[in-house]
Amino acid sequence: MVQGAVVLMPSGLMLFLGAWGIRRQDAVWRDEAVTYDMAHRGLADLWPTLMHVDVVHGLYYALMHLWFRIYDVTLGGVFGEVVGLRLPSVAAMTAAAAGVALLGERLVGRRAGLLAGCTFALIPVVQQYAQEGRSYAMVCALVVWASLLLVLAAARPRGKLWLGYTALMLFACLLHEFASLALPAHGAAVILARLPRRVLRSWLLAAVTVLAGLAPLAVFSTRQSAQISWLMWPDPVQLLTFAVLAVLGIACTRVRIRSRGPIGLRALGLPLLLLPTLLLLLLSHVEPAYVDRYVLYYVVGFALLAGAALARLLRPPGELGQTRAGRLRWMMTVVLIVAVLLPVNVHLRSPDSRVDDVTAIAHAIREVAEPGDGLLFMPSRRRIWRATLPRDFRGLHDLALAESPLASHTLYGTERSGEAIRSRMLSVRRIVVAGDPDGQPVDDNDQEIAKRTTLHEAFGICRSTQVRGARITVYARAGACGGGG
């Protein structure tokens, strides 16, 4: 096998899968809208905003701000803002696939590395976050390459390797705090491999340095813990995905695999697959915090184990599979994998694959609204829906808004008192309401209560439209439905 193929094939596959359908019909969901908004604020405005909210993503927003400064004057006019929002994640996952391949090669061999990298690229959740304008793909790539440096440092302890490992892990943790849950997995690998004490001491020093560097951010972010108050219990689909990959990964360890190097495949693969998620679930018993994307890098452990198992099981008699039976087995395996994953992959590239569609919501509002209409977001945090397409909201009066997100250094702006909102609502004849779909829990603060009660008492419904993740409703006083009736 050609040496370069170990890296080029998985990274090329990941690049193709990341580029395929990257626009997603220009649909953007609410978290990506936050990224877009924050990245387009000046650094002087970004800093005071982070003092109030989203400090855990501050480094990512700053990087995306710099990226858009470059992208907008080079490629933005050609590919558009949606592509620019997601390109860094595509690049990060491409680098991650290359790193997984190198890890597999280092731990087992070239064939295992090639298959591990391709397996990683084919995992649906990897493709999902390769096309997401958030930090999770970058974090995953950094953990992968840090893991590779750990394996190299265990084999030939050098200060530069440990320094590189420390820098990459600290960078990952500053991008997202839960990257720190990869440290116990790395520590378990060092212990299970029974490495010399000097290696354990070097890893402990690196881990302590990373945690010390993360500590100020972690302590400050506790002041903003209300941001994840929406988390109540783990998503069953996410838990099922982890359970399936965990069971399959453990099953792969039953295949006889000969590792090479001081850190074996099982010593690294199993802890990386299991520990981050299990620890996050354990933390969630204290305060709900489990979302699979927070520890996305756990799939790296599965890819390593699956790649090595496939390399063993699919290797036919003869020289590196150069027999008719070997080629047929490879072809059947590829056809089976593509057949199983294709429907999932197509779905991931549709607007319906995310919880909402900010673009569709903005367009729906533009279609039903008339100049001079009032506008309400229910709840107020849905004001982020206007961040990417503000032109679709021109001519509408945001009745509850007291201070804009930019002026107030917040994500969603600040709202007037409930009484002031009621007074402003009664001063208009029509109101367009952008709210959550039916069946969602409602907020019970004064502002949201005032919105609901005033609509019920003084307005009637003219028209209601359901779009992905939202309901757009036109309310009007008697005889004022107009074109929306």
Side-chain angles (χ1 to χ4, degrees), residues 424-460:
R424 287 172 63 84
M425 290 174 65
L426 294 175
S427 69
V428 299
R429 301 180 68 218
R430 284 174 33 112
I431 299 175
V432 180
V433 175
D436 284 339
D438 299 336
Q440 295 298 309
V442 296
D443 291 5
D444 288 328
N445 56 55
D446 290 342
Q447 289 88 345
E448 297 303 323
I449 292 174
K451 295 173 189 177
R452 292 195 298 269
T453 56
T454 307
L455 288 172
H456 177 72
E457 294 170 359
F459 292 83

mmCIF file of all heavy atoms in Angstrom, residues 424-460:
data_model
loop_
_atom_site.group_PDB
_atom_site.id
_atom_site.type_symbol
_atom_site.label_atom_id
_atom_site.label_comp_id
_atom_site.label_asym_id
_atom_site.label_seq_id
_atom_site.Cartn_x
_atom_site.Cartn_y
_atom_site.Cartn_z
ATOM 1 N N ARG A 424 -47.526 48.770 23.871
ATOM 2 C CA ARG A 424 -47.077 48.866 22.480
ATOM 3 C C ARG A 424 -47.878 47.930 21.582
ATOM 4 O O ARG A 424 -48.155 48.249 20.429
ATOM 5 C CB ARG A 424 -45.591 48.585 22.386
ATOM 6 C CG ARG A 424 -44.713 49.720 22.920
ATOM 7 C CD ARG A 424 -43.253 49.319 22.998
ATOM 8 N NE ARG A 424 -42.690 49.012 21.691
ATOM 9 C CZ ARG A 424 -42.198 49.911 20.838
ATOM 10 N NH1 ARG A 424 -42.214 51.212 21.158
ATOM 11 N NH2 ARG A 424 -41.693 49.534 19.682
ATOM 12 N N MET A 425 -48.235 46.755 22.086
ATOM 13 C CA MET A 425 -49.040 45.820 21.290
ATOM 14 C C MET A 425 -50.409 46.416 20.975
ATOM 15 O O MET A 425 -50.925 46.265 19.856
ATOM 16 C CB MET A 425 -49.197 44.489 22.029
ATOM 17 C CG MET A 425 -47.914 43.675 22.124
ATOM 18 S SD MET A 425 -48.100 42.195 23.146
ATOM 19 C CE MET A 425 -49.280 41.234 22.181
ATOM 20 N N LEU A 426 -50.997 47.096 21.943
ATOM 21 C CA LEU A 426 -52.329 47.667 21.744
ATOM 22 C C LEU A 426 -52.321 48.886 20.821
ATOM 23 O O LEU A 426 -53.380 49.350 20.395
ATOM 24 C CB LEU A 426 -52.933 48.052 23.099
ATOM 25 C CG LEU A 426 -53.240 46.876 24.033
ATOM 26 C CD1 LEU A 426 -53.721 47.379 25.391
ATOM 27 C CD2 LEU A 426 -54.280 45.935 23.411
ATOM 28 N N SER A 427 -51.120 49.365 20.483
ATOM 29 C CA SER A 427 -51.018 50.539 19.615
ATOM 30 C C SER A 427 -50.965 50.171 18.129
ATOM 31 O O SER A 427 -50.933 51.063 17.284
ATOM 32 C CB SER A 427 -49.767 51.351 19.984
ATOM 33 O OG SER A 427 -48.589 50.635 19.634
ATOM 34 N N VAL A 428 -50.925 48.890 17.808
ATOM 35 C CA VAL A 428 -50.857 48.460 16.409
ATOM 36 C C VAL A 428 -52.075 47.604 16.077
ATOM 37 O O VAL A 428 -52.743 47.070 16.959
ATOM 38 C CB VAL A 428 -49.562 47.678 16.116
ATOM 39 C CG1 VAL A 428 -48.345 48.538 16.361
ATOM 40 C CG2 VAL A 428 -49.492 46.405 16.954
ATOM 41 N N ARG A 429 -52.346 47.466 14.787
ATOM 42 C CA ARG A 429 -53.524 46.707 14.346
ATOM 43 C C ARG A 429 -53.181 45.268 13.997
ATOM 44 O O ARG A 429 -54.031 44.385 14.075
ATOM 45 C CB ARG A 429 -54.157 47.402 13.134
ATOM 46 C CG ARG A 429 -54.583 48.849 13.430
ATOM 47 C CD ARG A 429 -55.194 49.494 12.204
ATOM 48 N NE ARG A 429 -56.475 48.870 11.872
ATOM 49 C CZ ARG A 429 -56.893 48.647 10.621
ATOM 50 N NH1 ARG A 429 -56.102 48.974 9.605
ATOM 51 N NH2 ARG A 429 -58.070 48.102 10.402
ATOM 52 N N ARG A 430 -51.941 45.027 13.569
ATOM 53 C CA ARG A 430 -51.519 43.661 13.202
ATOM 54 C C ARG A 430 -50.171 43.355 13.839
ATOM 55 O O ARG A 430 -49.298 44.220 13.917
ATOM 56 C CB ARG A 430 -51.395 43.520 11.671
ATOM 57 C CG ARG A 430 -52.713 43.401 10.937
ATOM 58 C CD ARG A 430 -52.519 43.424 9.422
ATOM 59 N NE ARG A 430 -51.294 42.819 8.955
ATOM 60 C CZ ARG A 430 -51.228 41.676 8.229
ATOM 61 N NH1 ARG A 430 -52.343 41.024 7.928
ATOM 62 N NH2 ARG A 430 -50.075 41.233 7.805
ATOM 63 N N ILE A 431 -50.023 42.097 14.231
ATOM 64 C CA ILE A 431 -48.764 41.639 14.826
ATOM 65 C C ILE A 431 -48.387 40.293 14.209
ATOM 66 O O ILE A 431 -49.219 39.376 14.156
ATOM 67 C CB ILE A 431 -48.879 41.486 16.357
ATOM 68 C CG1 ILE A 431 -49.218 42.817 17.011
ATOM 69 C CG2 ILE A 431 -47.578 40.930 16.934
ATOM 70 C CD1 ILE A 431 -49.462 42.705 18.513
ATOM 71 N N VAL A 432 -47.149 40.203 13.754
ATOM 72 C CA VAL A 432 -46.605 38.926 13.287
ATOM 73 C C VAL A 432 -45.826 38.304 14.442
ATOM 74 O O VAL A 432 -44.908 38.933 14.980
ATOM 75 C CB VAL A 432 -45.674 39.123 12.067
ATOM 76 C CG1 VAL A 432 -45.112 37.780 11.608
ATOM 77 C CG2 VAL A 432 -46.435 39.800 10.934
ATOM 78 N N VAL A 433 -46.193 37.107 14.812
ATOM 79 C CA VAL A 433 -45.551 36.408 15.933
ATOM 80 C C VAL A 433 -44.709 35.261 15.397
ATOM 81 O O VAL A 433 -45.213 34.374 14.694
ATOM 82 C CB VAL A 433 -46.592 35.871 16.931
ATOM 83 C CG1 VAL A 433 -45.906 35.041 18.021
ATOM 84 C CG2 VAL A 433 -47.370 37.020 17.547
ATOM 85 N N ALA A 434 -43.433 35.289 15.705
ATOM 86 C CA ALA A 434 -42.519 34.177 15.392
ATOM 87 C C ALA A 434 -42.281 33.409 16.679
ATOM 88 O O ALA A 434 -41.599 33.903 17.590
ATOM 89 C CB ALA A 434 -41.207 34.711 14.823
ATOM 90 N N GLY A 435 -42.872 32.244 16.778
ATOM 91 C CA GLY A 435 -42.808 31.495 18.023
ATOM 92 C C GLY A 435 -42.443 30.040 17.828
ATOM 93 O O GLY A 435 -42.332 29.552 16.693
ATOM 94 N N ASP A 436 -42.260 29.345 18.929
ATOM 95 C CA ASP A 436 -41.964 27.920 18.884
ATOM 96 C C ASP A 436 -43.160 27.146 18.347
ATOM 97 O O ASP A 436 -44.309 27.595 18.461
ATOM 98 C CB ASP A 436 -41.623 27.409 20.291
ATOM 99 C CG ASP A 436 -40.221 27.804 20.721
ATOM 100 O OD1 ASP A 436 -39.396 28.094 19.832
ATOM 101 O OD2 ASP A 436 -39.947 27.818 21.933
ATOM 102 N N PRO A 437 -42.926 25.981 17.781
ATOM 103 C CA PRO A 437 -44.047 25.166 17.300
ATOM 104 C C PRO A 437 -44.920 24.687 18.447
ATOM 105 O O PRO A 437 -44.536 24.773 19.621
ATOM 106 C CB PRO A 437 -43.354 23.998 16.585
ATOM 107 C CG PRO A 437 -41.978 23.947 17.166
ATOM 108 C CD PRO A 437 -41.624 25.348 17.526
ATOM 109 N N ASP A 438 -46.082 24.195 18.110
ATOM 110 C CA ASP A 438 -47.036 23.734 19.113
ATOM 111 C C ASP A 438 -46.419 22.629 19.971
ATOM 112 O O ASP A 438 -45.642 21.799 19.498
ATOM 113 C CB ASP A 438 -48.304 23.199 18.440
ATOM 114 C CG ASP A 438 -49.010 24.267 17.622
ATOM 115 O OD1 ASP A 438 -48.804 25.456 17.924
ATOM 116 O OD2 ASP A 438 -49.751 23.916 16.684
ATOM 117 N N GLY A 439 -46.799 22.650 21.259
ATOM 118 C CA GLY A 439 -46.357 21.590 22.159
ATOM 119 C C GLY A 439 -45.088 21.884 22.915
ATOM 120 O O GLY A 439 -44.686 21.106 23.785
ATOM 121 N N GLN A 440 -44.429 23.002 22.614
ATOM 122 C CA GLN A 440 -43.200 23.360 23.316
ATOM 123 C C GLN A 440 -43.536 24.070 24.634
ATOM 124 O O GLN A 440 -44.535 24.780 24.729
ATOM 125 C CB GLN A 440 -42.340 24.277 22.444
ATOM 126 C CG GLN A 440 -41.837 23.624 21.179
ATOM 127 C CD GLN A 440 -40.928 22.440 21.452
ATOM 128 O OE1 GLN A 440 -39.971 22.542 22.215
ATOM 129 N NE2 GLN A 440 -41.249 21.291 20.867
ATOM 130 N N PRO A 441 -42.706 23.892 25.663
ATOM 131 C CA PRO A 441 -42.947 24.595 26.929
ATOM 132 C C PRO A 441 -42.826 26.102 26.734
ATOM 133 O O PRO A 441 -42.067 26.574 25.887
ATOM 134 C CB PRO A 441 -41.858 24.053 27.851
ATOM 135 C CG PRO A 441 -40.790 23.518 26.938
ATOM 136 C CD PRO A 441 -41.510 23.026 25.721
ATOM 137 N N VAL A 442 -43.581 26.865 27.528
ATOM 138 C CA VAL A 442 -43.573 28.325 27.406
ATOM 139 C C VAL A 442 -42.868 28.942 28.609
ATOM 140 O O VAL A 442 -42.843 28.375 29.697
ATOM 141 C CB VAL A 442 -45.006 28.875 27.307
ATOM 142 C CG1 VAL A 442 -45.669 28.372 26.028
ATOM 143 C CG2 VAL A 442 -45.838 28.483 28.531
ATOM 144 N N ASP A 443 -42.264 30.104 28.395
ATOM 145 C CA ASP A 443 -41.615 30.842 29.475
ATOM 146 C C ASP A 443 -42.676 31.565 30.312
ATOM 147 O O ASP A 443 -43.706 32.001 29.789
ATOM 148 C CB ASP A 443 -40.627 31.857 28.898
ATOM 149 C CG ASP A 443 -39.421 31.182 28.269
ATOM 150 O OD1 ASP A 443 -39.414 29.935 28.195
ATOM 151 O OD2 ASP A 443 -38.487 31.891 27.854
ATOM 152 N N ASP A 444 -42.381 31.729 31.601
ATOM 153 C CA ASP A 444 -43.348 32.338 32.507
ATOM 154 C C ASP A 444 -42.872 33.663 33.091
ATOM 155 O O ASP A 444 -43.304 34.049 34.173
ATOM 156 C CB ASP A 444 -43.683 31.361 33.655
ATOM 157 C CG ASP A 444 -44.538 30.201 33.180
ATOM 158 O OD1 ASP A 444 -45.340 30.406 32.252
ATOM 159 O OD2 ASP A 444 -44.391 29.089 33.722
ATOM 160 N N ASN A 445 -41.991 34.363 32.386
ATOM 161 C CA ASN A 445 -41.611 35.694 32.877
ATOM 162 C C ASN A 445 -42.681 36.720 32.499
ATOM 163 O O ASN A 445 -43.595 36.444 31.704
ATOM 164 C CB ASN A 445 -40.232 36.093 32.332
ATOM 165 C CG ASN A 445 -40.182 36.045 30.811
ATOM 166 O OD1 ASN A 445 -40.983 36.656 30.130
ATOM 167 N ND2 ASN A 445 -39.216 35.291 30.277
ATOM 168 N N ASP A 446 -42.571 37.895 33.053
ATOM 169 C CA ASP A 446 -43.600 38.917 32.855
ATOM 170 C C ASP A 446 -43.788 39.267 31.384
ATOM 171 O O ASP A 446 -44.913 39.484 30.916
ATOM 172 C CB ASP A 446 -43.244 40.183 33.646
ATOM 173 C CG ASP A 446 -43.376 39.988 35.153
ATOM 174 O OD1 ASP A 446 -44.056 39.023 35.554
ATOM 175 O OD2 ASP A 446 -42.803 40.795 35.911
ATOM 176 N N GLN A 447 -42.681 39.338 30.657
ATOM 177 C CA GLN A 447 -42.774 39.730 29.253
ATOM 178 C C GLN A 447 -43.562 38.706 28.435
ATOM 179 O O GLN A 447 -44.443 39.067 27.649
ATOM 180 C CB GLN A 447 -41.365 39.905 28.663
ATOM 181 C CG GLN A 447 -40.620 41.115 29.176
ATOM 182 C CD GLN A 447 -39.829 40.834 30.438
ATOM 183 O OE1 GLN A 447 -40.049 39.809 31.105
ATOM 184 N NE2 GLN A 447 -38.910 41.728 30.784
ATOM 185 N N GLU A 448 -43.248 37.421 28.618
ATOM 186 C CA GLU A 448 -43.927 36.398 27.822
ATOM 187 C C GLU A 448 -45.393 36.269 28.226
ATOM 188 O O GLU A 448 -46.263 36.036 27.382
ATOM 189 C CB GLU A 448 -43.211 35.051 27.984
ATOM 190 C CG GLU A 448 -41.770 35.043 27.479
ATOM 191 C CD GLU A 448 -41.658 35.442 26.016
ATOM 192 O OE1 GLU A 448 -42.548 35.081 25.211
ATOM 193 O OE2 GLU A 448 -40.688 36.151 25.673
ATOM 194 N N ILE A 449 -45.684 36.427 29.512
ATOM 195 C CA ILE A 449 -47.079 36.397 29.965
ATOM 196 C C ILE A 449 -47.861 37.557 29.357
ATOM 197 O O ILE A 449 -48.999 37.391 28.890
ATOM 198 C CB ILE A 449 -47.143 36.430 31.502
ATOM 199 C CG1 ILE A 449 -46.584 35.123 32.076
ATOM 200 C CG2 ILE A 449 -48.578 36.644 31.975
ATOM 201 C CD1 ILE A 449 -46.467 35.113 33.592
ATOM 202 N N ALA A 450 -47.245 38.739 29.318
ATOM 203 C CA ALA A 450 -47.913 39.905 28.733
ATOM 204 C C ALA A 450 -48.185 39.685 27.246
ATOM 205 O O ALA A 450 -49.268 40.053 26.748
ATOM 206 C CB ALA A 450 -47.054 41.149 28.935
ATOM 207 N N LYS A 451 -47.245 39.110 26.550
ATOM 208 C CA LYS A 451 -47.454 38.845 25.122
ATOM 209 C C LYS A 451 -48.640 37.907 24.910
ATOM 210 O O LYS A 451 -49.536 38.171 24.091
ATOM 211 C CB LYS A 451 -46.194 38.228 24.507
ATOM 212 C CG LYS A 451 -44.974 39.123 24.488
ATOM 213 C CD LYS A 451 -43.748 38.340 24.002
ATOM 214 C CE LYS A 451 -42.456 39.113 24.170
ATOM 215 N NZ LYS A 451 -41.264 38.323 23.775
ATOM 216 N N ARG A 452 -48.663 36.797 25.662
ATOM 217 C CA ARG A 452 -49.712 35.791 25.458
ATOM 218 C C ARG A 452 -51.093 36.334 25.840
ATOM 219 O O ARG A 452 -52.069 36.149 25.097
ATOM 220 C CB ARG A 452 -49.398 34.532 26.271
ATOM 221 C CG ARG A 452 -48.184 33.760 25.771
ATOM 222 C CD ARG A 452 -48.138 32.358 26.371
ATOM 223 N NE ARG A 452 -48.017 32.383 27.826
ATOM 224 C CZ ARG A 452 -46.871 32.372 28.486
ATOM 225 N NH1 ARG A 452 -45.722 32.371 27.814
ATOM 226 N NH2 ARG A 452 -46.825 32.389 29.807
ATOM 227 N N THR A 453 -51.167 36.978 26.978
ATOM 228 C CA THR A 453 -52.480 37.446 27.437
ATOM 229 C C THR A 453 -53.031 38.553 26.534
ATOM 230 O O THR A 453 -54.230 38.585 26.244
ATOM 231 C CB THR A 453 -52.393 37.940 28.889
ATOM 232 O OG1 THR A 453 -51.388 38.959 28.993
ATOM 233 C CG2 THR A 453 -52.051 36.799 29.827
ATOM 234 N N THR A 454 -52.184 39.453 26.085
ATOM 235 C CA THR A 454 -52.655 40.546 25.219
ATOM 236 C C THR A 454 -53.113 40.018 23.873
ATOM 237 O O THR A 454 -54.134 40.462 23.327
ATOM 238 C CB THR A 454 -51.545 41.598 25.026
ATOM 239 O OG1 THR A 454 -51.062 42.030 26.302
ATOM 240 C CG2 THR A 454 -52.058 42.805 24.248
ATOM 241 N N LEU A 455 -52.381 39.057 23.319
ATOM 242 C CA LEU A 455 -52.816 38.457 22.057
ATOM 243 C C LEU A 455 -54.167 37.779 22.216
ATOM 244 O O LEU A 455 -55.041 37.879 21.350
ATOM 245 C CB LEU A 455 -51.768 37.445 21.576
ATOM 246 C CG LEU A 455 -50.449 38.016 21.046
ATOM 247 C CD1 LEU A 455 -49.440 36.894 20.806
ATOM 248 C CD2 LEU A 455 -50.675 38.799 19.750
ATOM 249 N N HIS A 456 -54.350 37.094 23.316
ATOM 250 C CA HIS A 456 -55.585 36.359 23.548
ATOM 251 C C HIS A 456 -56.771 37.307 23.763
ATOM 252 O O HIS A 456 -57.881 37.058 23.258
ATOM 253 C CB HIS A 456 -55.433 35.449 24.771
ATOM 254 C CG HIS A 456 -56.678 34.703 25.136
ATOM 255 N ND1 HIS A 456 -57.165 33.656 24.384
ATOM 256 C CD2 HIS A 456 -57.558 34.872 26.174
ATOM 257 C CE1 HIS A 456 -58.274 33.199 24.937
ATOM 258 N NE2 HIS A 456 -58.540 33.917 26.019
ATOM 259 N N GLU A 457 -56.543 38.389 24.464
ATOM 260 C CA GLU A 457 -57.638 39.289 24.842
ATOM 261 C C GLU A 457 -57.993 40.294 23.743
ATOM 262 O O GLU A 457 -59.169 40.666 23.601
ATOM 263 C CB GLU A 457 -57.276 40.051 26.113
ATOM 264 C CG GLU A 457 -57.146 39.161 27.347
ATOM 265 C CD GLU A 457 -56.554 39.905 28.537
ATOM 266 O OE1 GLU A 457 -56.234 41.121 28.381
ATOM 267 O OE2 GLU A 457 -56.409 39.286 29.595
ATOM 268 N N ALA A 458 -57.008 40.741 22.982
ATOM 269 C CA ALA A 458 -57.254 41.876 22.081
ATOM 270 C C ALA A 458 -57.073 41.560 20.609
ATOM 271 O O ALA A 458 -57.351 42.431 19.765
ATOM 272 C CB ALA A 458 -56.332 43.045 22.474
ATOM 273 N N PHE A 459 -56.633 40.373 20.254
ATOM 274 C CA PHE A 459 -56.341 40.063 18.857
ATOM 275 C C PHE A 459 -56.950 38.718 18.473
ATOM 276 O O PHE A 459 -57.190 37.859 19.315
ATOM 277 C CB PHE A 459 -54.824 40.020 18.615
ATOM 278 C CG PHE A 459 -54.146 41.347 18.737
ATOM 279 C CD1 PHE A 459 -53.777 41.848 19.988
ATOM 280 C CD2 PHE A 459 -53.879 42.109 17.615
ATOM 281 C CE1 PHE A 459 -53.145 43.075 20.113
ATOM 282 C CE2 PHE A 459 -53.242 43.341 17.732
ATOM 283 C CZ PHE A 459 -52.887 43.826 18.977
ATOM 284 N N GLY A 460 -57.142 38.563 17.188
ATOM 285 C CA GLY A 460 -57.571 37.288 16.635
ATOM 286 C C GLY A 460 -56.556 36.786 15.629
ATOM 287 O O GLY A 460 -55.761 37.560 15.087
#
